[in-house]
Amino acid sequence: MRVVDAHKAVGGLVIALNLLVGLWGLWAWRQHAVATPLLAQLLAFSHTIVLLEGGLRPLPAGGGLPIGTGLHYIYGAIPAGAVLFGYSARTPDARRNLLQFAVIALAIAVLAGRAFMTGAPT
């Protein structure tokens, strides 16, 4: 499997997983509940896989960005920053953290989806 194919496969997983846990987290927050252990683990995994996806991002030979893919790199890098922000902004309030991480997961799903659409065809 080529790195580009692995990047696309993990990218699809990032979108689906973050959409799922983001919606589940918002639903749990609206029900005035705290995150179940499964939801908490899936939220953590969804953020971990974002960092993995950033490491799989294929870089072109020669060090430059191909024309038309700059947005792909930008939309792909912002989710990693969102994950780092989320963990740095945690508080002792479990419900606030649930809302924060659910919103971050949904933002990641949108940004990763946008990156998926702006990727260079191979």
Side-chain angles (χ1 to χ4, degrees):
M1 176 181 276
R2 298 178 322 158
V3 173
V4 172
D5 295 333
H7 182 65
K8 288 179 182 179
V10 174
L13 179 63
V14 164
I15 295 166
L17 183 60
N18 278 283
L19 185 60
L20 172 74
V21 297
L23 292 174
W24 185 5
L26 283 181
W27 177 82
W29 179 79
R30 291 281 297 158
Q31 300 299 318
H32 300 284
V34 295
T36 64
L38 178 61
L39 176 56
Q41 288 300 314
L42 286 175
L43 275 167
F45 178 67
S46 72
H47 293 157
T48 302
I49 203 162
V50 164
L51 300 176
L52 171 68
E53 176 67 352
L56 285 176
R57 183 175 48 231
L59 296 174
L65 291 177
I67 295 174
T69 62
L71 285 177
H72 178 77
Y73 285 87
I74 292 169
Y75 286 122
I78 292 173
V83 168
L84 296 175
F85 166 77
Y87 282 95
S88 70
R90 285 182 296 178
T91 68
D93 183 1
R95 288 201 67 246
R96 181 190 176 280
N97 291 340
L98 174 62
L99 176 62
Q100 176 179 301
F101 285 123
V103 169
I104 288 171
L106 289 174
I108 288 170
V110 168
L111 290 167
R114 183 69 176 131
F116 200 84
M117 291 186 294
T118 59
T122 56

